[in-house]
Amino acid sequence: MTTETILDAVAAVEDRVVELRHTLHRHPEPAFQETRTAALVAEVLSELPLSVRTGVNRTGVSALLTGDTSRKDSHRERTILLRADMDALPVQEETGLPFSSEVPGVMHACGHDGHTAILLGTAMVLCGLKEDLPGNVRFVFQPAEETTGGAEGMIREGVLENPRVEAALGLHLWGSAPRGIVEYKPGPFMAAPDSFTIRILGRGGHAARPHECVDPVPIAATVIQQFQNLVGRRVNPVLPAVISVCRVSAGNTHNVIPGEAELEGTVRTLDPALREEIPAMMEAVVRQVTAIHGADYRFDYDFRYPPLINDSKITALLRDAAQTVLGRERVREAEYPTMGGEDFAYFAGAVPSTFFFLGIAPEGETIQHHHPAFRVDDTVLKDGIAVFCRAVFDFLERDAVLEQRL
Ligand SMILES: [Zn+2]
Ligand SMILES: [Zn+2]
């Protein structure tokens, strides 16, 4: 498939994709409530030669494009998966855009409306070129990326099977990268965003008689400090780790020692082994610090999404595809991984995959995700579609050539 043909087909759907993005933006829905979004996605997909499944992991939608697998003398079909997330956030929009959210307190403040529109556009383009597509494409529109991870449930409900998916691609519109720039990275790319809640159980009483109490407040302060020593002194410095205590709560007035303090926060790691070790290190700190002061504790640790680790071969394929459609100067390796989490990690953990960023920031600026003023640059939507389509053809065609030789 020539790049020229792909780019012409992308140009033909661009206006509709931008319009769809604006419609999605007007009607944001939070995690697992993406019913209107899913209905719109299913409606657009139903116009195309696809087999569509709705209600996958509650509000998810999946669709299969069956290409012309007879084009190669192969005993085996190949299938690649493309994924978008559909959920919005509990943020009150303050962009002043004409297509601003019409739902009070809910906003597409992470760009998932753009991801959904890009994937719909990709489905339109690939369906238009299906006679020349030597394999299958599975489109996945998942719920709840921002909360509990809609990806895992969709995998459980079979989106990687029938036919068996052999590779997966996903993208995120990215406020830290300049408009229209693709950033890729093989290996660890995004962190495991695990979380914890710790209760320090002391004994409350009169603020003037601390010796008759077990004050949980200074104990909590010591625990917080020791967590930072843990990152600084116990964790191998070449392995990134973040422990952020984000909520500290205790007491309700100035002259009563509270009976209890509660800490809540997040732990970010890229290394799967370190990820497993950190909770025990943290609990040891809590156990020993509370023991010194005669307090008790409860320690709850929640393993959320795994770290997102990009496959090196699929990442190289994506890089080459992006360079072909955008030019070398618009494609670069990300300097660092990010410690943000992303539930595409479940796909990447199951099949060789790559997740990449598509920049949306104006020259010299950074766009904050999850912020009331977050905005997407519509001119990059076509770039996302073109990169996806080129990568799909490269994956299926390259493989067809390889298999013919065997
Ligand atoms: Zn987000
Ligand atoms: Zn996001």
mmCIF file of all heavy atoms in Angstrom, residues 342-373:
data_model
loop_
_atom_site.group_PDB
_atom_site.id
_atom_site.type_symbol
_atom_site.label_atom_id
_atom_site.label_comp_id
_atom_site.label_asym_id
_atom_site.label_seq_id
_atom_site.Cartn_x
_atom_site.Cartn_y
_atom_site.Cartn_z
ATOM 1 N N GLU A 342 -0.820 3.892 32.719
ATOM 2 C CA GLU A 342 -1.602 3.771 31.489
ATOM 3 C C GLU A 342 -2.017 2.305 31.376
ATOM 4 O O GLU A 342 -1.153 1.414 31.395
ATOM 5 C CB GLU A 342 -0.715 4.201 30.313
ATOM 6 C CG GLU A 342 -1.225 3.919 28.938
ATOM 7 C CD GLU A 342 -2.609 4.470 28.624
ATOM 8 O OE1 GLU A 342 -2.801 5.693 28.571
ATOM 9 O OE2 GLU A 342 -3.496 3.626 28.410
ATOM 10 N N ASP A 343 -3.317 2.055 31.282
ATOM 11 C CA ASP A 343 -3.739 0.652 31.306
ATOM 12 C C ASP A 343 -3.574 -0.058 29.959
ATOM 13 O O ASP A 343 -3.883 -1.251 29.847
ATOM 14 C CB ASP A 343 -5.139 0.481 31.911
ATOM 15 C CG ASP A 343 -6.271 0.757 30.941
ATOM 16 O OD1 ASP A 343 -6.024 1.352 29.874
ATOM 17 O OD2 ASP A 343 -7.410 0.373 31.268
ATOM 18 N N PHE A 344 -3.064 0.635 28.944
ATOM 19 C CA PHE A 344 -2.620 -0.077 27.731
ATOM 20 C C PHE A 344 -1.571 -1.123 28.126
ATOM 21 O O PHE A 344 -1.330 -2.085 27.388
ATOM 22 C CB PHE A 344 -2.043 0.910 26.712
ATOM 23 C CG PHE A 344 -1.646 0.265 25.405
ATOM 24 C CD1 PHE A 344 -2.588 -0.018 24.435
ATOM 25 C CD2 PHE A 344 -0.318 -0.059 25.152
ATOM 26 C CE1 PHE A 344 -2.228 -0.632 23.237
ATOM 27 C CE2 PHE A 344 0.059 -0.668 23.955
ATOM 28 C CZ PHE A 344 -0.899 -0.956 22.997
ATOM 29 N N ALA A 345 -0.965 -0.938 29.304
ATOM 30 C CA ALA A 345 0.022 -1.893 29.828
ATOM 31 C C ALA A 345 -0.502 -3.338 29.806
ATOM 32 O O ALA A 345 0.276 -4.277 29.640
ATOM 33 C CB ALA A 345 0.403 -1.508 31.246
ATOM 34 N N TYR A 346 -1.819 -3.512 29.964
ATOM 35 C CA TYR A 346 -2.368 -4.878 29.937
ATOM 36 C C TYR A 346 -2.241 -5.494 28.543
ATOM 37 O O TYR A 346 -1.959 -6.684 28.417
ATOM 38 C CB TYR A 346 -3.827 -4.888 30.382
ATOM 39 C CG TYR A 346 -4.008 -4.616 31.857
ATOM 40 C CD1 TYR A 346 -4.478 -3.391 32.306
ATOM 41 C CD2 TYR A 346 -3.686 -5.596 32.806
ATOM 42 C CE1 TYR A 346 -4.646 -3.132 33.661
ATOM 43 C CE2 TYR A 346 -3.847 -5.346 34.161
ATOM 44 C CZ TYR A 346 -4.325 -4.114 34.579
ATOM 45 O OH TYR A 346 -4.481 -3.866 35.917
ATOM 46 N N PHE A 347 -2.465 -4.673 27.499
ATOM 47 C CA PHE A 347 -2.271 -5.191 26.134
ATOM 48 C C PHE A 347 -0.787 -5.494 25.914
ATOM 49 O O PHE A 347 -0.423 -6.541 25.383
ATOM 50 C CB PHE A 347 -2.756 -4.175 25.091
ATOM 51 C CG PHE A 347 -4.249 -3.976 25.101
ATOM 52 C CD1 PHE A 347 -4.808 -2.807 25.586
ATOM 53 C CD2 PHE A 347 -5.092 -4.973 24.638
ATOM 54 C CE1 PHE A 347 -6.184 -2.628 25.611
ATOM 55 C CE2 PHE A 347 -6.476 -4.805 24.653
ATOM 56 C CZ PHE A 347 -7.019 -3.631 25.140
ATOM 57 N N ALA A 348 0.056 -4.547 26.357
ATOM 58 C CA ALA A 348 1.505 -4.705 26.146
ATOM 59 C C ALA A 348 2.046 -5.906 26.914
ATOM 60 O O ALA A 348 3.049 -6.501 26.517
ATOM 61 C CB ALA A 348 2.233 -3.431 26.554
ATOM 62 N N GLY A 349 1.368 -6.258 28.003
ATOM 63 C CA GLY A 349 1.806 -7.425 28.765
ATOM 64 C C GLY A 349 1.359 -8.732 28.121
ATOM 65 O O GLY A 349 1.888 -9.802 28.417
ATOM 66 N N ALA A 350 0.381 -8.656 27.223
ATOM 67 C CA ALA A 350 -0.198 -9.874 26.635
ATOM 68 C C ALA A 350 0.353 -10.179 25.241
ATOM 69 O O ALA A 350 0.533 -11.354 24.890
ATOM 70 C CB ALA A 350 -1.718 -9.736 26.566
ATOM 71 N N VAL A 351 0.592 -9.144 24.434
ATOM 72 C CA VAL A 351 1.116 -9.351 23.071
ATOM 73 C C VAL A 351 2.180 -8.276 22.800
ATOM 74 O O VAL A 351 2.148 -7.212 23.417
ATOM 75 C CB VAL A 351 0.004 -9.257 21.985
ATOM 76 C CG1 VAL A 351 -1.004 -10.379 22.124
ATOM 77 C CG2 VAL A 351 -0.695 -7.907 22.005
ATOM 78 N N PRO A 352 3.117 -8.533 21.866
ATOM 79 C CA PRO A 352 4.108 -7.494 21.538
ATOM 80 C C PRO A 352 3.392 -6.219 21.097
ATOM 81 O O PRO A 352 2.530 -6.261 20.215
ATOM 82 C CB PRO A 352 4.903 -8.108 20.375
ATOM 83 C CG PRO A 352 4.695 -9.581 20.513
ATOM 84 C CD PRO A 352 3.310 -9.755 21.077
ATOM 85 N N SER A 353 3.726 -5.111 21.737
ATOM 86 C CA SER A 353 2.943 -3.892 21.552
ATOM 87 C C SER A 353 3.837 -2.673 21.596
ATOM 88 O O SER A 353 4.966 -2.730 22.085
ATOM 89 C CB SER A 353 1.934 -3.733 22.701
ATOM 90 O OG SER A 353 1.054 -4.816 22.759
ATOM 91 N N THR A 354 3.284 -1.560 21.143
ATOM 92 C CA THR A 354 3.931 -0.289 21.448
ATOM 93 C C THR A 354 2.889 0.789 21.669
ATOM 94 O O THR A 354 1.829 0.799 21.037
ATOM 95 C CB THR A 354 4.964 0.114 20.374
ATOM 96 O OG1 THR A 354 5.900 1.014 20.976
ATOM 97 C CG2 THR A 354 4.330 0.793 19.168
ATOM 98 N N PHE A 355 3.204 1.664 22.614
ATOM 99 C CA PHE A 355 2.366 2.811 22.950
ATOM 100 C C PHE A 355 3.219 4.042 22.692
ATOM 101 O O PHE A 355 4.386 4.073 23.066
ATOM 102 C CB PHE A 355 1.966 2.734 24.423
ATOM 103 C CG PHE A 355 0.889 3.702 24.828
ATOM 104 C CD1 PHE A 355 -0.423 3.503 24.432
ATOM 105 C CD2 PHE A 355 1.183 4.805 25.627
ATOM 106 C CE1 PHE A 355 -1.425 4.394 24.809
ATOM 107 C CE2 PHE A 355 0.184 5.691 26.013
ATOM 108 C CZ PHE A 355 -1.123 5.483 25.601
ATOM 109 N N PHE A 356 2.652 5.036 21.998
ATOM 110 C CA PHE A 356 3.466 6.205 21.654
ATOM 111 C C PHE A 356 2.683 7.485 21.895
ATOM 112 O O PHE A 356 1.459 7.462 22.062
ATOM 113 C CB PHE A 356 3.952 6.116 20.200
ATOM 114 C CG PHE A 356 2.846 6.102 19.161
ATOM 115 C CD1 PHE A 356 2.482 7.251 18.480
ATOM 116 C CD2 PHE A 356 2.166 4.917 18.869
ATOM 117 C CE1 PHE A 356 1.467 7.231 17.511
ATOM 118 C CE2 PHE A 356 1.150 4.891 17.908
ATOM 119 C CZ PHE A 356 0.807 6.053 17.240
ATOM 120 N N PHE A 357 3.424 8.600 21.921
ATOM 121 C CA PHE A 357 2.816 9.904 22.157
ATOM 122 C C PHE A 357 2.730 10.672 20.846
ATOM 123 O O PHE A 357 3.618 10.580 20.002
ATOM 124 C CB PHE A 357 3.652 10.721 23.141
ATOM 125 C CG PHE A 357 3.696 10.156 24.541
ATOM 126 C CD1 PHE A 357 4.786 10.403 25.370
ATOM 127 C CD2 PHE A 357 2.648 9.398 25.049
ATOM 128 C CE1 PHE A 357 4.828 9.900 26.664
ATOM 129 C CE2 PHE A 357 2.675 8.892 26.341
ATOM 130 C CZ PHE A 357 3.778 9.146 27.151
ATOM 131 N N LEU A 358 1.656 11.445 20.717
ATOM 132 C CA LEU A 358 1.498 12.358 19.588
ATOM 133 C C LEU A 358 1.312 13.755 20.180
ATOM 134 O O LEU A 358 0.325 14.019 20.874
ATOM 135 C CB LEU A 358 0.289 11.938 18.746
ATOM 136 C CG LEU A 358 -0.094 12.840 17.570
ATOM 137 C CD1 LEU A 358 1.065 13.024 16.590
ATOM 138 C CD2 LEU A 358 -1.308 12.261 16.837
ATOM 139 N N GLY A 359 2.288 14.632 19.939
ATOM 140 C CA GLY A 359 2.327 15.946 20.586
ATOM 141 C C GLY A 359 1.186 16.862 20.177
ATOM 142 O O GLY A 359 0.731 16.842 19.028
ATOM 143 N N ILE A 360 0.725 17.683 21.158
ATOM 144 C CA ILE A 360 -0.359 18.645 20.898
ATOM 145 C C ILE A 360 0.011 20.048 21.378
ATOM 146 O O ILE A 360 -0.811 20.961 21.327
ATOM 147 C CB ILE A 360 -1.674 18.216 21.599
ATOM 148 C CG1 ILE A 360 -1.440 17.933 23.087
ATOM 149 C CG2 ILE A 360 -2.305 17.029 20.901
ATOM 150 C CD1 ILE A 360 -2.718 17.754 23.889
ATOM 151 N N ALA A 361 1.235 20.241 21.868
ATOM 152 C CA ALA A 361 1.578 21.539 22.492
ATOM 153 C C ALA A 361 2.004 22.566 21.453
ATOM 154 O O ALA A 361 2.801 22.262 20.573
ATOM 155 C CB ALA A 361 2.694 21.336 23.507
ATOM 156 N N PRO A 362 1.481 23.813 21.574
ATOM 157 C CA PRO A 362 1.979 24.891 20.720
ATOM 158 C C PRO A 362 3.454 25.163 21.030
ATOM 159 O O PRO A 362 3.933 24.835 22.124
ATOM 160 C CB PRO A 362 1.127 26.098 21.132
ATOM 161 C CG PRO A 362 -0.007 25.542 21.915
ATOM 162 C CD PRO A 362 0.456 24.253 22.504
ATOM 163 N N GLU A 363 4.142 25.758 20.076
ATOM 164 C CA GLU A 363 5.567 26.090 20.195
ATOM 165 C C GLU A 363 5.902 26.679 21.577
ATOM 166 O O GLU A 363 5.294 27.652 22.016
ATOM 167 C CB GLU A 363 5.885 27.124 19.101
ATOM 168 C CG GLU A 363 7.359 27.393 18.894
ATOM 169 C CD GLU A 363 8.062 26.221 18.216
ATOM 170 O OE1 GLU A 363 7.469 25.629 17.295
ATOM 171 O OE2 GLU A 363 9.199 25.900 18.622
ATOM 172 N N GLY A 364 6.870 26.078 22.249
ATOM 173 C CA GLY A 364 7.352 26.634 23.524
ATOM 174 C C GLY A 364 6.405 26.495 24.701
ATOM 175 O O GLY A 364 6.647 27.068 25.762
ATOM 176 N N GLU A 365 5.316 25.764 24.531
ATOM 177 C CA GLU A 365 4.358 25.613 25.628
ATOM 178 C C GLU A 365 4.210 24.155 26.045
ATOM 179 O O GLU A 365 4.602 23.260 25.316
ATOM 180 C CB GLU A 365 2.958 26.086 25.180
ATOM 181 C CG GLU A 365 2.754 27.574 25.252
ATOM 182 C CD GLU A 365 1.336 27.940 24.824
ATOM 183 O OE1 GLU A 365 0.382 27.294 25.303
ATOM 184 O OE2 GLU A 365 1.202 28.863 23.996
ATOM 185 N N THR A 366 3.629 23.964 27.222
ATOM 186 C CA THR A 366 3.235 22.626 27.662
ATOM 187 C C THR A 366 1.752 22.675 27.981
ATOM 188 O O THR A 366 1.281 23.650 28.568
ATOM 189 C CB THR A 366 4.009 22.227 28.939
ATOM 190 O OG1 THR A 366 5.398 22.296 28.655
ATOM 191 C CG2 THR A 366 3.674 20.812 29.375
ATOM 192 N N ILE A 367 1.026 21.659 27.570
ATOM 193 C CA ILE A 367 -0.399 21.586 27.892
ATOM 194 C C ILE A 367 -0.551 20.604 29.058
ATOM 195 O O ILE A 367 -0.078 19.469 28.979
ATOM 196 C CB ILE A 367 -1.202 21.054 26.682
ATOM 197 C CG1 ILE A 367 -0.991 21.950 25.467
ATOM 198 C CG2 ILE A 367 -2.663 20.860 27.034
ATOM 199 C CD1 ILE A 367 -2.055 22.940 25.182
ATOM 200 N N GLN A 368 -1.199 21.057 30.121
ATOM 201 C CA GLN A 368 -1.413 20.206 31.297
ATOM 202 C C GLN A 368 -2.621 19.288 31.082
ATOM 203 O O GLN A 368 -3.735 19.783 30.857
ATOM 204 C CB GLN A 368 -1.692 21.074 32.530
ATOM 205 C CG GLN A 368 -0.463 21.730 33.121
ATOM 206 C CD GLN A 368 0.482 20.723 33.750
ATOM 207 O OE1 GLN A 368 0.049 19.720 34.322
ATOM 208 N NE2 GLN A 368 1.778 20.967 33.631
ATOM 209 N N HIS A 369 -2.380 17.982 31.199
ATOM 210 C CA HIS A 369 -3.511 17.043 31.173
ATOM 211 C C HIS A 369 -4.248 17.127 32.520
ATOM 212 O O HIS A 369 -3.663 17.519 33.523
ATOM 213 C CB HIS A 369 -3.004 15.615 30.952
ATOM 214 C CG HIS A 369 -2.484 15.390 29.559
ATOM 215 N ND1 HIS A 369 -3.173 14.656 28.624
ATOM 216 C CD2 HIS A 369 -1.359 15.828 28.946
ATOM 217 C CE1 HIS A 369 -2.476 14.629 27.491
ATOM 218 N NE2 HIS A 369 -1.365 15.325 27.662
ATOM 219 N N HIS A 370 -5.519 16.735 32.522
ATOM 220 C CA HIS A 370 -6.367 16.720 33.726
ATOM 221 C C HIS A 370 -6.577 18.140 34.269
ATOM 222 O O HIS A 370 -6.849 18.316 35.451
ATOM 223 C CB HIS A 370 -5.787 15.817 34.830
ATOM 224 C CG HIS A 370 -5.728 14.371 34.426
ATOM 225 N ND1 HIS A 370 -5.691 13.336 35.338
ATOM 226 C CD2 HIS A 370 -5.686 13.775 33.217
ATOM 227 C CE1 HIS A 370 -5.636 12.173 34.693
ATOM 228 N NE2 HIS A 370 -5.620 12.420 33.405
ATOM 229 N N HIS A 371 -6.439 19.127 33.413
ATOM 230 C CA HIS A 371 -6.565 20.535 33.830
ATOM 231 C C HIS A 371 -7.784 21.145 33.107
ATOM 232 O O HIS A 371 -8.071 20.778 31.974
ATOM 233 C CB HIS A 371 -5.275 21.267 33.440
ATOM 234 C CG HIS A 371 -5.200 22.672 33.969
ATOM 235 N ND1 HIS A 371 -5.811 23.726 33.332
ATOM 236 C CD2 HIS A 371 -4.608 23.179 35.076
ATOM 237 C CE1 HIS A 371 -5.581 24.838 34.032
ATOM 238 N NE2 HIS A 371 -4.862 24.534 35.092
ATOM 239 N N PRO A 372 -8.498 22.075 33.781
ATOM 240 C CA PRO A 372 -9.701 22.668 33.167
ATOM 241 C C PRO A 372 -9.431 23.363 31.827
ATOM 242 O O PRO A 372 -10.351 23.547 31.026
ATOM 243 C CB PRO A 372 -10.160 23.700 34.200
ATOM 244 C CG PRO A 372 -9.542 23.282 35.485
ATOM 245 C CD PRO A 372 -8.283 22.553 35.158
ATOM 246 N N ALA A 373 -8.166 23.765 31.593
ATOM 247 C CA ALA A 373 -7.856 24.463 30.336
ATOM 248 C C ALA A 373 -7.223 23.539 29.292
ATOM 249 O O ALA A 373 -6.765 23.994 28.247
ATOM 250 C CB ALA A 373 -6.917 25.633 30.622
#
